Amino acid sequence: LGSPTLELGKALGLAASIAQMAAKPGRARTLAERAVELLEPTGPSQPLARAYSMLGMLDYSTMRFSGAKQWCERALALAEPLGYQDVASYAYGFLGLSTVVRGDERGLRHLTRAADIARDTGHSELLVLAQANHAAMLAWLGRHAEARALAAPALRVAHENNVTMGGFHAAVVVCRTDLFYGSWDSAEARLRELLDREGDPVGLLT
């Protein structure tokens, strides 16, 4: 075990992740900010890098794109030199998203980097997340053929590794491309299949 401060910081980061999954972003932000406040005086660490990346994700989710970029860059400044590959993949993903939505397609490179790191480290959940997010941005940019081509392997990896959340994201991208190409029945069937599954994908479909 690490120091009591480090262990508490890790626990706060985990609690922040759970709060976000429970659709309580305000609570998640409070916990992540507390983790940062606690961990920064102790120096570079994986829990601190993870807390930075969590705040980046929360800022992106609440359309604070400049803040998301700054938090993700801070996470990467710790994660890359210290070899925290899972944190680096996650941070690159939300750095890419926040860059693209601000009109800079260079963010697609960050999304590619997120997927490459996840693939190289065998982290299937992060790989699906990165590919699904990349595909979503391509669809958002009107590059539907590329989006569909990227969503397909994400769906396959999600199915093979039982990655539910990322699989929902990828499936929604496929539905979006179906609609663009006029495949209304296919899109409706896939959406109904998602809604009939266990869990609550509704937030991903709106």
Side-chain angles (χ1 to χ4, degrees):
L1 294 177
S3 70
T5 299
L6 189 63
E7 292 302 313
L8 178 56
K10 289 170 64 175
L12 286 166
L14 177 59
S17 297
I18 293 171
Q20 174 63 14
M21 288 188 288
K24 298 179 179 178
R27 176 65 174 161
R29 182 179 297 278
T30 297
L31 290 164
E33 288 175 344
R34 176 60 180 140
V36 167
E37 178 184 341
L38 189 70
L39 291 168
E40 280 188 330
T42 70
S45 66
Q46 187 177 36
L48 178 57
R50 195 178 301 280
Y52 286 158
S53 69
M54 169 65 69
L55 287 168
M57 180 275 292
L58 289 166
D59 270 359
Y60 172 79
S61 299
T62 52
M63 301 180 69
R64 303 173 185 178
F65 303 128
S66 294
K69 180 177 182 292
Q70 293 170 11
W71 283 118
C72 288
E73 288 174 341
R74 291 177 72 177
L76 288 166
L78 291 182
E80 289 204 291
L82 296 174
Y84 305 145
Q85 299 285 41
D86 58 335
V87 179
S89 176
Y90 192 79
Y92 265 119
F94 285 97
L95 176 61
L97 290 171
S98 60
T99 301
V100 173
V101 297
R102 295 173 71 204
D104 187 349
E105 292 190 24
R106 288 178 297 180
L108 296 174
R109 299 176 193 171
H110 299 316
L111 290 163
T112 298
R113 180 66 177 144
D116 288 344
I117 293 171
R119 187 182 297 105
D120 291 344
T121 56
H123 201 307
S124 57
E125 185 173 351
L126 286 175
L127 176 58
V128 174
L129 176 65
Q131 289 180 320
N133 283 337
H134 195 166
M137 287 296 96
L138 289 169
W140 186 72
L141 291 167
R143 296 161 60 173
H144 294 90
E146 294 172 78
R148 191 177 187 86
L150 195 56
L155 276 174
R156 184 178 64 253
V157 174
H159 176 73
E160 292 171 352
N161 295 277
N162 195 31
V163 179
T164 304
M165 185 67 71
F168 278 130
H169 278 290
V172 170
V173 175
V174 174
C175 292
R176 181 171 180 171
T177 60
D178 280 343
L179 291 172
F180 177 79
Y181 288 114
S183 300
W184 299 93
D185 291 343
S186 176
E188 181 179 357
R190 190 180 298 275
L191 288 171
R192 290 188 180 280
E193 179 187 355
L194 290 174
L195 291 167
D196 287 342
R197 294 182 188 176
E198 293 182 1
D200 182 15
V202 175
L204 301 175
L205 305 180
T206 57

